Amino acid sequence: GQNIDQPTEMTATEGAIVQINCTYQTSGFNGLFWYQQHAGEAPTFLSYNVLDGLEEKGRFSSFLSRSKGYSYLLLKELQMKDSASYLCAVYSGTYKYIFGTGTRLKVLA
Amino acid sequence: EPEVTQTPSHQVTQMGQEVILRCVPISNHLYFYWYRQILGQKVEFLVSFYNNEISEKSEIFDDQFSVERPDGSNFTLKIRSTKLEDSAMYFCASSTGIWRGYQETQYFGPGTRLLVL
């Protein structure tokens, strides 16, 4: 089966660091993507991991452990505009993406 | 910056009617996708399309749905005999199809909100 799990909601304070976890069990794996989605809008690409380890991109970093079926997205120096849903998606390698349920992040002043 | 466009932004239809959702992918992209997102739920893959053929489809994408690339720019999703549960946001996405991770990154259109009454 295909299963991607993320926490439903998280809350953090402006300026803080937050880590959003994603665990997956899928029949194929060729990469893990993170997207940001503001309410009523389309998902926008944040980062991806194909190999194990940490990928850093400005205030955002993403980590992957393929053996553990685990990834996380790290957001530093949180800003109010970071309040959004964060979607973890596994790319199966046959032009098919499976999305997790998304994590709604609220950033408080 | 090039972007994926979708029309209409909103569509209201009666149950049992047919709807066609339209997308214009980014011009040098080769792979096209349709997703749906029921309000408050996750993004669900429907279908991917390459070289005038379906590459992959999900179990949701049954005989009620079809996709077409009628000309060099448009990519359409047809939903026949709509049901109440088809009410959702439908996103189109496109990618280059060159798998180097970031290059396979999908770019999403703004979506069409479909309401079936």
Side-chain angles (χ1 to χ4, degrees), chain B residues 93-106:
Chain B
S94 70
S95 69
T96 62
I98 301 169
W99 177 245
R100 282 189 204 138
Y102 66 94
Q103 286 186 300
E104 169 47 28
T105 300
Q106 297 171 96

Side-chain angles (χ1 to χ4, degrees), chain A residues 30-31 33 35 37 40-45 48 50 87 91-92 94-102 104, chain B residues 31 33 35 37 42-43 45 48 55-58 89 91 97 99-102 104-106 108-110 113:
Chain A
N30 272 273
F33 287 72
Y35 289 85
Q37 187 180 30
E41 297 183 10
T44 55
F45 168 75
Y48 85 102
V50 179
L87 317 181
Y91 175 61
S92 69
T94 56
Y95 296 98
K96 180 176 180 178
Y97 290 76
I98 304 154
F99 280 77
T101 50
R104 262 195 315 279
Chain B
Y31 277 81
Y33 306 81
Y35 293 87
Q37 188 174 31
K42 67 179 180 181
V43 174
F45 170 84
S48 59
S55 297
E56 279 280 347
K57 59 181 181 178
S58 71
M89 182 77 98
F91 292 110
W99 177 245
R100 282 189 204 138
Y102 66 94
E104 169 47 28
T105 300
Q106 297 171 96
F108 282 78
R113 188 172 296 285

Side-chain angles (χ1 to χ4, degrees), chain B residues 18-117:
Chain B
E18 174 181 286
V19 295
I20 297 176
L21 309 183
R22 292 184 166 79
C23 168
V24 179
I26 293 172
S27 61
N28 65 338
H29 284 187
L30 300 176
Y31 277 81
F32 316 119
Y33 306 81
W34 282 104
Y35 293 87
R36 79 174 184 191
Q37 188 174 31
I38 296 168
L39 189 63
Q41 297 189 23
K42 67 179 180 181
V43 174
E44 298 176 290
F45 170 84
L46 291 177
V47 66
S48 59
F49 189 88
Y50 169 74
N51 200 26
N52 287 320
E53 288 185 349
I54 290 174
S55 297
E56 279 280 347
K57 59 181 181 178
S58 71
E59 55 277 5
I60 301 168
F61 194 89
D62 59 21
D63 293 343
Q64 188 194 1
F65 295 90
S66 62
V67 289
E68 196 178 31
R69 190 153 160 83
D71 54 43
S73 58
N74 289 285
F75 179 51
T76 61
L77 175 69
K78 184 187 288 185
I79 310 174
R80 287 180 280 274
S81 191
T82 49
K83 300 176 279 202
L84 297 177
E85 54 265 37
D86 294 328
S87 295
M89 182 77 98
Y90 287 82
F91 292 110
C92 173
S94 70
S95 69
T96 62
I98 301 169
W99 177 245
R100 282 189 204 138
Y102 66 94
Q103 286 186 300
E104 169 47 28
T105 300
Q106 297 171 96
Y107 293 85
F108 282 78
T112 294
R113 188 172 296 285
L114 176 65
L115 179 61
V116 182
L117 301 176

Side-chain angles (χ1 to χ4, degrees), chain A residues 20-80:
Chain A
I20 301 173
N21 296 325
C22 170
T23 57
Y24 64 89
Q25 284 180 305
T26 55
S27 53
F29 181 86
N30 272 273
L32 190 139
F33 287 72
W34 284 95
Y35 289 85
Q36 180 190 62
Q37 187 180 30
H38 284 100
E41 297 183 10
T44 55
F45 168 75
L46 288 177
S47 73
Y48 85 102
N49 296 74
V50 179
L51 301 176
D52 291 353
L54 189 69
E55 293 285 339
E56 297 192 74
K57 207 175 173 185
R59 292 192 300 117
F60 298 92
S61 304
S62 57
F63 171 84
L64 175 67
S65 167
R66 287 172 296 171
S67 62
K68 294 181 180 173
Y70 168 70
S71 173
Y72 67 72
L73 179 70
L74 196 70
L75 292 80
K76 303 174 195 170
E77 300 167 16
L78 279 175
Q79 302 172 9
M80 299 297 288

